[in-house]
Structure formats: C-alpha cells, structure tokens
Amino acid sequence: MKTKFWHKLDYIALLLAVLIGGMLATLSVRRYAGYNAGMLDIGNMSQAIWSATQGRPLEYTHEDGTFSRLAWHIEVLYFLIAPLYALFPDPRTLLILQSGLFALGALPAYRIAKRHFGQRKITLVLMLCYLLYPTALTAVLADFHGDTLAMPLLLFALDAFERRAWRRYAFWIALALLCKVYVAVPVVALGTVIWLKGERQAGLLTVLSGLLWGLLAVLVIGPAFTPSGVYQAQATPFSYFMFYFGRIHELLLPTLLPRLMNAFIVFIAVVWLGYYAPLWLLPACAVAIPALVGVGDVITYHYSMHHYALAVPFMFYAMVIGAARLQQRQKAESRLTRRGRTWWGDTLLTLGIIVILDMGLVNMPLSPRFWLREPDFGFDQWSYGVTSRDVLKNRWLSANVPAAEPLAASGILAPHLINRSTLYLIRYPYGLKMLGQADSYGESRRLLQHPEQLKYLFLTDNLAKVDYVVADALFDYARFLDVERTLVLYGTLYDLPGIVATMQNPDFGLRATRDGLLLFERGLPAAHALSQEVEVFTPEVAPQIEARFGDQVGLVSASVQPLGARRYRLQYEWWPLRPL
C-alpha cells in the first residue's frame, strides 16, 4: 500500500511559510517605498552590492570617503548576491531576498522537528516557533544585514548535522561564515557543542573553521581593504572589540533595567523547552549576551535590532531537543509519578508566549497596534504607509536627479538614489545614532535637552566632493524616543544645516524645487538658477495677534484662495512673540 508523501498539514506548513515570508517582504518593501528606510543600513548595503556589479569590492560612501564592507564587517556573501542585483538593481531586491531566505528556513525547521517527533501537528507548532520568533521577525524587518541572511543558513547546517551529511553541513557553515565576520562566534560555539556531544572530528573541524575564518577576516582581509587614515586602527581585533564594548564602563549600569527587559524578551520563549537542552543554548548565548552588554559606538541591546538574528536558529533547535527530551522523560514515567506539565503543553505554551510577544512588540499584522494607526506603527506614514508626497518624491527624483553623478542627499532620500559611486549624506548622525528606539530614554532625553552635546558632521565637509545636492526642506519623517511619544527625532529642521551650507556656497545654484524638495547643482549658470530672496523689515506698530502658538510665534492672518480642480493656495502672516 502506497503512503502519501505529502500530507495536508505539510501543505499547510508550506502555505504558512509562504504567507509569512510574503508578509515580511511586503512590509519591508512598503517601509522603503514610504521613505521610512534610511541610508543606514539598507542604503549602505545596496550601494556596496551595486559596486560589486561594477567590478569593485563592495564599496560604499562613508562620511570620510569611499569605504569597503570588506574592511569592517567583511560580508563576502554579498558578492554572490551581486548577479541578482545586476538583474534587478533596486534595494527592494535585497529586502525581498532576505524575507524569502528567512521563509526558506522553515524547511530545515520543519524537517528537524519532524525527525524528532514524526507527528505533523507538533512539527507544525515548532516550525511556527521559528517563523514567528519575535527577534527573528524584527531582524528581517530591520533593513538588510548579513547576520539576518545567516540565520536560515545555520538552520540548514543544523539539519545537515542531524543527518550526519557532513559535506552539506560544511557547505552551509561556510556560506554562513561568509555572511559576516562575527558569525564565527556562534560557529565556534556550535563546534564546541558538537564536540561535547561525541562528534569529536566534526566538532573540532567546526571550531577550527570558525577560528581560522575569524582570524583571517580580522587580521588579513580587513586590513587589506582598509584605506589609510582614520579607520586604519579599526582593522584590528582590539579596535573591533572596542567599537562594540568600548564604553561599557559608562553606559552599562545606567541602562541596566532596559537591558534586563530586552533580555527577558529575547529569552523568555525558549526557557520552557530550552531548560531541557541547555547545551544547545550555548551558541545562542554566545551571540545574545554580547549584544545585551554592548555599549560602544553602536547600541545593540534592543530586541528590535538585527544583532539577535544569529541566536534564533540555536534557540529553535534547543526548543526541539528540549521538547523531545521532555517527551521521552514523560514516557518513562508512570502515570502515578508523572507531573502535571506535559511536553505538548509546554510546546503550545512556548508558541503562545511567542504569539503574545509578537502581538505586543512586533510591527506586523498579528499585533492589534498594527491596525490602530499609532504613530510609527502599522500603516502610519512613518512606518509602512505610503503618502501622496512619497509618490511625488519618486516622480521628482526620477525626473530631476541625474544618474551616476557624485551626489549628497538627505538621509531618507539617499536609498532611492543609491546606484552611484559617490553618495554622501547631508547629515551624518552621532551621539544618538539615529536609533532612538535602541537608546536609553534617559540618555535620549538628556541629549535632546542639551543640543550642544549632539555631535554632527554636516555637509560642509563634503560639498567639494559632489556636483549635486538633494535635500528635503520638509523632511516628513519622525521617530519617537519615549513611551509618551513626546520626544521626537528628525523633523522639518533636520536637513536645515546642510541646506544653509549649500545655499551659502557660491559654487552651487538651486536648479529645481517642488514641495520642499531641493536640487542644487555645482556651477549652475545664474540664468538657470532659481532665485532665493529674503527681506527682513520691522513694522512700526505691532499687529494684532489672532492666535498664539506657545511663546514663540503668533498668527496675524490666514487666507485660503481656491485655484480650481480641488487646489487651494494658503497664505499666512506670522509675528514672532520673542526674538528668534
């Protein structure tokens, strides 16, 4: 009698993987299309991969000039992605690829679970634990990164390990190592676990491969591609360590509570089953614990960052092994001595915790917050929403900004102008790192209340290196920095210093403008430049104020003039209530 190779639950599993992968791809693309993804990081990655299609080594424009990804994170895998990007040269290609690869990780997850249980229902539940794990989803939705790509590749490696398919295991481990230099850390931890499990040769070779690749990347490849100058010192193991942990003595204790809260979010779902397979949590901890204590130039500890992606495959594997061991233990117990907890119940509880975390923390349709149109959530204009002005930006940039020319651009516009060799930002962030959500609320509040403590590199240092400048005088993007949603990063004045610097530079003229979008060109003849005039005068008698806005400005008059075809001209007259 023939048995069916595909069961209806297998089709359901396949459908769920496709739906979740499609959802992540759609949300990632909408975030980009809504001009809510910045140069850091989708822009840098896209420009680097585009450079590979031009025969250059993953180069992108850093604030100090041209820089290679091989000099820092050493994401060699991007060379393998370059042919696809050459066919579809758009950052959305990378976002769709990342979402699809994550969904493909459901295949080894399903096979691993099925191998241990044979029951399709529990297999489906465990596969969903991978597909819905909060830090996995937030990593996929957080732009594009090499460690997020390595997440499903490590699952394929674990699947090959279980089958003792060593050639395939070596292939997946090698592919994962090429994603980013610090993938070597969980690989070394994985080799240690495999060695302790009795597979001495395979474990030793895994440890050696991780160590050798890490040393080769940091000591040879990094320095070889690091230009002389300010970043030369960073191509050493010590400086790389200092980048992530150099300020641990300053910020660890002040941010201890939010770090503990994020640790709870990262680990709570795996506790129930991982307790029975603690050794398999070693590779996960090798990634997650450094992320939780990292306090260098990049804030790493927030659950929404991509730094926990590499921990997800091992947390999933610990869940499967833990559930299997709990099942075996309960089978060995008699009904009289069996405790109330069951392996089925703990597995469902794990999935339940994951779903609850998703509903409260992850910006996806499973969360009620997604549909409430909260600021910076769901289809809000600062999240996945696409406004009419976003559509206008597409048309205006396409019609006015020349391709391939050296350019400086607003941080949100830059990823839409990415396929060029030189693309500086108008403003490079320091201090707050443009990551208010990953920063401590206390530090964010202090920095915003004392603007002189914010250190920024403005466009004035790079104007001589570009022929065009694209700015957004309205800068319709915001980021909330506190739970009361009162502290806002970005906003209308964000590009103002760069705009002022360009307007004051006699080499540049304003070539085109539309709805706050500005294009400046070097050497533009005065006859072709748009004139800019400001006239300042002081009335002899102060006007009557119709409405006051705080203690800053008052409204003198307002008028609305219909222009036809549902268009209107609004005119306002303002009066400063105190010296500006």
Coordinates of all heavy atoms in Angstrom, one line a residue, residues 4 37 40 100 152 159 162 175 197 251 298 322 358 360 368 373 459 465 468 497 552:
K4 N 1.1 8.4 1.3 CA 1.2 9.7 0.7 C 2.5 10.4 1.2 O 2.7 10.5 2.4 CB 0.0 10.6 1.1 CG -1.3 10.1 0.4 CD -2.5 11.1 0.8 CE -3.8 10.7 0.1 NZ -4.9 11.6 0.4
A37 N 13.0 54.2 5.3 CA 14.2 53.5 5.5 C 15.4 54.4 5.1 O 15.3 55.0 4.0 CB 14.2 52.2 4.6
L40 N 21.4 54.3 6.5 CA 21.8 53.3 7.4 C 20.7 52.5 7.8 O 19.8 52.9 8.6 CB 22.4 54.0 8.7 CG 23.4 55.2 8.4 CD1 23.8 55.8 9.8 CD2 24.7 54.7 7.7
G100 N 12.5 36.2 1.7 CA 12.4 34.8 1.1 C 13.3 33.8 1.7 O 12.9 32.7 2.0
P152 N 18.8 31.6 8.5 CA 18.3 30.4 8.0 C 19.4 29.4 7.5 O 19.3 28.2 7.5 CB 17.5 30.8 6.8 CG 18.0 32.2 6.4 CD 18.5 32.8 7.7
D159 N 20.3 21.0 10.3 CA 19.6 19.9 9.7 C 20.5 18.9 9.1 O 20.4 17.7 9.3 CB 18.6 20.5 8.6 CG 17.9 19.4 7.9 OD1 17.4 18.5 8.6 OD2 17.8 19.5 6.7
E162 N 22.2 16.9 11.9 CA 21.4 15.8 12.4 C 21.4 14.6 11.5 O 21.4 13.4 11.9 CB 20.0 16.3 12.6 CG 19.7 17.1 13.8 CD 18.3 17.0 14.3 OE1 17.4 16.7 13.5 OE2 18.1 17.2 15.5
L175 N 28.9 28.9 4.0 CA 28.1 30.0 3.5 C 27.7 31.0 4.6 O 27.7 32.2 4.4 CB 26.8 29.4 2.8 CG 26.2 30.1 1.6 CD1 27.2 30.3 0.5 CD2 25.0 29.4 1.1
K197 N 29.1 16.5 22.3 CA 28.1 15.5 22.0 C 28.7 14.2 21.5 O 28.0 13.3 21.2 CB 27.1 16.1 21.0 CG 26.2 17.1 21.6 CD 25.3 16.6 22.7 CE 24.4 17.6 23.3 NZ 23.5 17.1 24.4
L251 N 28.0 53.2 30.2 CA 26.6 53.1 30.0 C 26.0 51.8 30.4 O 24.7 51.7 30.4 CB 26.4 53.2 28.5 CG 26.8 54.6 27.8 CD1 26.5 54.6 26.3 CD2 26.1 55.7 28.5
V298 N 27.9 51.7 18.8 CA 26.6 51.3 18.3 C 25.8 50.6 19.4 O 26.3 49.8 20.1 CB 26.8 50.2 17.1 CG1 25.4 49.6 16.7 CG2 27.4 50.9 15.9
G322 N 14.7 20.1 23.5 CA 14.1 20.1 24.8 C 12.7 19.5 24.8 O 12.4 18.7 25.8
D358 N 4.8 38.8 19.9 CA 4.5 39.4 18.6 C 3.4 40.4 18.6 O 3.5 41.5 18.0 CB 4.2 38.3 17.6 CG 5.4 37.4 17.2 OD1 6.5 37.9 17.4 OD2 5.1 36.3 16.7
G360 N 2.4 42.2 21.0 CA 2.7 43.4 21.8 C 3.9 44.2 21.2 O 4.0 45.4 21.5
P368 N -2.4 44.0 17.4 CA -3.5 44.9 17.4 C -3.0 46.3 17.1 O -3.7 47.1 16.5 CB -4.2 44.8 18.8 CG -3.8 43.4 19.3 CD -2.4 43.2 18.7
R373 N -3.2 52.4 13.8 CA -2.6 53.5 13.2 C -1.9 54.4 14.2 O -2.0 55.7 14.2 CB -3.6 54.4 12.4 CG -4.2 53.6 11.2 CD -4.9 54.5 10.3 NE -4.1 55.5 9.6 CZ -3.4 55.2 8.5 NH1 -3.6 54.0 7.9 NH2 -2.6 56.1 7.9
L459 N 27.2 68.8 6.0 CA 27.6 68.7 4.6 C 28.8 69.6 4.2 O 29.5 69.3 3.2 CB 26.4 69.1 3.7 CG 26.5 69.1 2.2 CD1 26.9 67.7 1.7 CD2 25.3 69.6 1.5
K465 N 33.2 67.5 -2.7 CA 33.4 66.2 -3.4 C 32.2 65.8 -4.3 O 32.2 64.7 -4.8 CB 33.6 65.1 -2.3 CG 34.7 65.4 -1.3 CD 34.7 64.4 -0.2 CE 35.8 64.7 0.8 NZ 35.7 63.8 2.0
Y468 N 26.1 67.6 -7.1 CA 24.7 67.8 -6.8 C 24.4 67.6 -5.4 O 25.0 66.8 -4.7 CB 23.8 66.9 -7.7 CG 23.9 67.2 -9.2 CD1 24.9 66.6 -9.9 CD2 23.0 68.1 -9.8 CE1 25.0 66.8 -11.3 CE2 23.1 68.3 -11.2 CZ 24.1 67.7 -11.9 OH 24.2 68.0 -13.2
P497 N 20.7 72.5 8.4 CA 22.1 72.9 8.3 C 22.8 72.7 6.9 O 23.5 73.5 6.4 CB 22.8 72.1 9.4 CG 21.7 71.8 10.4 CD 20.5 71.6 9.5
Q552 N 6.3 81.3 21.2 CA 7.3 81.5 20.1 C 6.7 82.4 19.0 O 7.4 83.4 18.6 CB 7.7 80.2 19.5 CG 8.3 79.2 20.5 CD 9.7 79.6 20.8 OE1 10.4 80.3 20.0 NE2 10.2 79.1 22.0

